[in-house]
Amino acid sequence: MAYPFQLGFQDATSPIMEELLHFHDHTLMIVFLISSLVLYIISLMLTTKLTHTNTMDAQEVETIWTVLPAIILILIALPSLRILYMMDEINNPSLTVKTMGHQWYWSYEYTDYEDLAFDSYMIPTQDLKPGELRLLEVDNRLVLPMEMTVRMLISSEDVLHSWAVPSLGLKTDAVPGRLNQTTLMSPRPGLFFGQCSEICGSNHSFMPIVIEMVPLKTFENWSLSML
C-alpha cells in the first residue's frame, strides 16, 4: 500500500503491474534522454557565438530530426501495445467474482458458489481497532486464492464508480447497465488496498477496497464457513 510522501508507484503484486512498472521506467528514460539533449542544445546556443551556417538548410539534418522521433515513438508504442493486449487476456479463470458498485459501498458475489455474497462497507473511524487504517478498512474483505487467475465482473447499480487496486495494476469502470471484466492474479499472499477512483457523490472517498490473498486451502475453509 502507499505510504506518506510516496513519490513513485506502489510495489507490484501482479505480473501485469510488474510489466507496467518496467514500461514506465523504459518510457521515463527516453523522456530523460530527450530532455537532456534539448537542454544541452539550448544551453549551447545561448553560450556560444559560433554558428555553422551550412547546417541551417542541410538535408541531412532535416532527415535526422524527422526519422529520429519516429523511431522513438515506435520504441514506446510496441511495448505499450504488448501490455495493452496482455491486460485484456482472459486465461481460463479458476474463479469468478461479480462486483457491484453502490452509493457508497461495494457488494461481492462469488458466482461459482450458490449463496456466497456480501456487502463491503468502510469501517467508521470511531470503530477502528488499534493498527487498522483510517478510510481503508472494511467490515468484509474480498478473500481470493493466490496463484490462481480470478475474473472480476464489474458493474454498478446507481452511478459511475471505478474499482481500482493500484498494487495489482487494476482500474476498471463500474458503469450502470454495462458489465466490464478484468482478471487478477497474485503470486503471494497479503492485503491489498484500493478505493473508488471515479467521483460518484458526496461519500466518494469512503468506498475502500480490501483484497485478502490467501492460500487455496485457507480460501476453501473460508468459503465453507461463509456458506
Side-chain angles (χ1 to χ4, degrees), residues 97-112:
V97 180
K98 185 171 73 173
T99 303
M100 297 295 292
H102 307 264
Q103 288 182 314
W104 286 272
Y105 64 95
W106 297 99
S107 61
Y108 301 103
E109 179 184 348
Y110 293 74
T111 58
D112 299 290

Side-chain angles (χ1 to χ4, degrees), residues 124-179:
T125 303
Q126 62 270 19
D127 297 334
L128 289 174
K129 298 176 183 178
E132 291 185 336
L133 302 169
R134 178 176 172 270
L135 301 182
L136 287 178
E137 295 290 349
V138 295
D139 54 356
N140 291 307
R141 295 170 175 170
L142 176 62
V143 181
L144 297 173
M146 57 179 281
E147 296 180 333
M148 297 181 68
T149 303
V150 180
R151 175 172 56 189
M152 302 297 301
L153 302 176
I154 300 168
S155 186
S156 171
E157 284 200 353
D158 37 50
V159 298
L160 289 175
H161 300 281
S162 185
W163 198 79
V165 184
S167 59
L168 290 170
L170 297 175
K171 187 177 186 295
T172 304
D173 288 339
V175 183
R178 180 183 176 90
L179 200 62

Side-chain angles (χ1 to χ4, degrees), residues 63-101:
T63 304
I64 290 172
W65 71 41
T66 302
V67 174
L68 194 60
I71 295 174
I72 292 173
L73 288 176
I74 292 173
L75 291 176
I76 295 175
L78 291 180
S80 174
L81 289 172
R82 173 176 166 270
I83 297 174
L84 194 63
Y85 280 103
M86 285 175 61
M87 294 174 69
D88 284 339
E89 286 183 0
I90 307 295
N91 296 320
N92 298 322
S94 305
L95 180 69
T96 300
V97 180
K98 185 171 73 173
T99 303
M100 297 295 292

